[in-house]
Amino acid sequence: MDFAYDTRTEELRERLLAFMEEHVYPAEAVAAEQRARLASPWDTPAVFGELKAEARRQGLWNLFFVDQHGGPGTKYGAGLTNLQYAPLAEITGRSPHLAPMATNCAAPDTGNMELLAQFGDEAQRKQWLEPLLAGEIRSAFAMTEPDVASSDATNVETRIERVGDEYVVTGRKWYISGAMNPDCKVFIVMGKTDPEGADPRRQQSMVLVPRDTPGVEVRRAMKVYGYEDHDHGGHAEVVFDGARVPVGNLVGEEGGGFAIAQARLGPGRIHHCMRLIGMAERAIELMCRRAVGRTAFGKELAAQGVVQGWIADARVAVEQLRLLVLKTAWLMDTVGNRGAHTEIQAIKIATPRTVVGILDRAVQLHGAGGVSQDFPLAELWAAARTLQLADGPDEVHQRSLAHRELRKYAGGRP
């Protein structure tokens, strides 16, 4: 795309694009081969360490992070704005299982690092944030539960009860991303400290629960359309059976869990949308290569009108999405996440839905190969489709967005 990015962003884009070509894309097959030889599929292939070392050497590390306690670009963060980070996240989205990990910009760690930077105290940042920023450990965010509709966070049933100088955590979570990786050392757990409180949005709190805490059981890996997402660290069912942690592990204040979750999810949603655009770009590239390299019914696929329509529609859709995402990133920088609330919801609705459609056409164009392991399309489709559920299902965002629009014509009434 020809776009007038600022000098620093353009320089980072060029370096990141070269890093992808020289290191990340070739490592995709290597990672699969190495994983097949590991004792556990959840162990990390050696090539990941090589990619991370190279990314750090090239200054392509923690690009998402603004160091809120030392100023932008100081000890750990690159000091980029959301608008500067957007095109970089898009590039990493072209290889979503390797590139974000290689640059230490992978979910759920990004959201957890931002949460600890904003709401954690000095001791929590020292113990958990610093090793996360250094890429020495992984983390998980434990909110979703199997027995309630987790699209409404007030439904959370996990209990966090204070007993003396400790909190006792009891509950069952699932689809806890990254938790199968043995490098995942800490859970940020959302549960209710005041289940009978009058305000349903002040009942929840968050606590830090180290993985090795007695009473914590990572029970099983949850599949996503048949995939286990080994490179990402999987998605686990986790049981907290009376797990005890010191009261100092409380993040923020009691009753602040709902607000903290909303603050965490805002940037996470835009990061997902940025990477989804990169996934769509890779799908378009694969479509075009397939179209000019295959013949059916006497002419190249590229000469078939239906294929031309798919490719043209995909290009139009991606350009539209990119501009909306960039506008949202700019608003987050200039008026904050609350000021960009409508746009954040709009991109969360539009981007996964549109990218799923593009990937679906790419799968169709590849025939049997499209659903095979020989191309990344099936796994990309599964990831994009899942994001219509993750960070709030589409329907929740549609409901909230409609309320905001209707309020303009209803005298301020909800």
Side-chain angles (χ1 to χ4, degrees):
M1 181 189 75
D2 237 350
F3 195 87
Y5 294 116
D6 66 274
T7 303
R8 187 178 183 208
T9 303
E10 192 54 51
E11 187 258 335
L12 284 169
R13 279 187 76 250
E14 291 176 4
R15 281 162 49 194
L16 187 55
L17 285 167
F19 177 70
M20 296 287 289
E21 291 291 340
E22 295 169 16
H23 300 283
V24 175
Y25 297 137
E28 290 177 338
V30 175
E33 292 170 2
Q34 291 181 350
R35 188 172 297 284
R37 298 195 298 269
L38 292 173
S40 166
W42 304 110
D43 291 338
T44 303
V47 72
F48 277 77
E50 298 166 12
L51 288 171
K52 291 167 75 171
E54 182 62 26
R56 294 196 76 162
R57 189 187 71 78
Q58 294 193 25
L60 300 171
W61 188 257
N62 289 341
L63 298 170
F64 76 98
F65 187 77
V66 176
D67 186 351
Q68 301 183 36
H69 299 276
T74 58
K75 187 175 182 181
Y76 294 108
L80 302 178
T81 65
N82 285 298
L83 186 58
Q84 290 174 313
Y85 177 58
L88 307 179
E90 176 185 326
I91 292 168
T92 63
R94 298 182 187 185
S95 183
H97 293 289
L98 265 68
M101 291 279 291
T103 55
N104 212 39
C105 294
D109 295 319
T110 49
N112 293 341
M113 287 187 266
E114 289 168 333
L115 184 155
L116 287 167
Q118 186 173 354
F119 300 101
D121 61 28
E122 185 176 350
Q124 292 168 353
R125 292 196 295 270
K126 181 70 175 176
Q127 184 176 5
W128 301 115
L129 176 59
E130 291 192 10
L132 280 167
L133 287 164
E136 297 168 355
I137 65 171
R138 300 289 310 278
S139 62
F141 185 67
M143 185 172 78
T144 304
E145 298 183 0
D147 296 325
V148 296
S150 298
S151 56
D152 178 359
T154 63
N155 285 336
V156 166
E157 292 184 338
T158 294
R159 294 293 184 262
I160 302 174
E161 300 175 275
R162 181 159 182 172
V163 179
D165 292 333
E166 294 180 314
Y167 283 111
V168 181
V169 184
T170 304
R172 178 177 167 226
K173 304 285 187 177
W174 75 342
Y175 282 97
I176 307 308
S177 298
M180 295 302 299
N181 189 314
D183 293 331
C184 175
K185 300 300 184 184
V186 64
F187 296 93
I188 300 177
V189 182
M190 183 166 173
K192 289 187 175 179
T193 46
D194 184 17
E196 305 303 324
D199 183 350
R201 297 192 177 195
R202 292 287 302 172
Q203 297 175 352
Q204 306 85 6
S205 302
M206 290 191 188
V207 293
L208 295 160
V209 181
R211 185 194 190 99
D212 59 3
T213 302
V216 175
E217 179 191 358
V218 179
R219 180 164 290 179
R220 59 172 175 157
M222 304 301 303
K223 294 184 179 181
V224 179
Y225 286 106
Y227 293 102
E228 290 188 320
D229 287 349
H230 294 117
D231 291 333
H232 186 64
H235 312 277
E237 178 184 355
V238 184
V239 174
F240 300 90
D241 185 10
R244 291 175 174 263
V245 297
V247 293
N249 284 27
L250 177 72
V251 180
E253 62 176 2
E254 279 198 14
F258 190 92
I260 293 173
Q262 292 304 306
R264 180 190 181 278
L265 289 172
R269 287 165 181 150
I270 193 170
H271 293 173
H272 280 315
C273 290
M274 295 165 180
R275 286 190 289 267
L276 277 165
I277 292 173
M279 291 163 61
E281 284 286 7
R282 190 162 189 193
I284 293 172
E285 177 186 338
L286 289 168
M287 288 171 75
C288 291
R289 293 186 183 280
R290 186 75 166 189
V292 299
R294 287 279 171 136
T295 299
F297 303 106
K299 58 182 179 181
E300 280 189 344
L301 292 178
Q304 306 281 358
V306 66
V307 173
Q308 294 173 354
W310 291 350
I311 292 171
D313 288 347
R315 172 52 56 206
V316 171
V318 165
E319 298 302 326
Q320 290 173 327
L321 286 176
R322 182 183 286 113
L323 288 174
L324 181 56
V325 169
L326 289 174
K327 177 194 175 185
T328 305
W330 173 75
L331 284 171
M332 291 172 69
D333 293 332
T334 54
V335 297
N337 292 356
R338 290 182 65 86
H341 190 267
T342 294
E343 285 75 14
I344 290 173
Q345 290 184 313
I347 62 171
K348 178 60 178 68
I349 295 165
T351 312
R353 179 188 298 169
T354 304
V355 174
V356 165
I358 292 171
L359 285 162
D360 195 61
R361 294 303 191 191
V363 168
Q364 191 76 5
L365 186 56
H366 282 72
V371 298
S372 77
Q373 70 271 38
D374 291 349
F375 295 90
L377 292 168
E379 195 164 7
L380 291 177
W381 183 94
R385 179 62 183 84
T386 302
L387 285 174
Q388 292 185 273
L389 295 169
D391 292 348
D394 288 1
E395 292 76 13
V396 171
H397 294 286
Q398 288 174 305
R399 175 179 179 269
S400 179
L401 190 55
H403 283 180
R404 282 176 172 266
E405 289 297 306
L406 289 166
R407 193 176 297 131
K408 300 173 186 177
Y409 304 94
R413 300 192 310 278

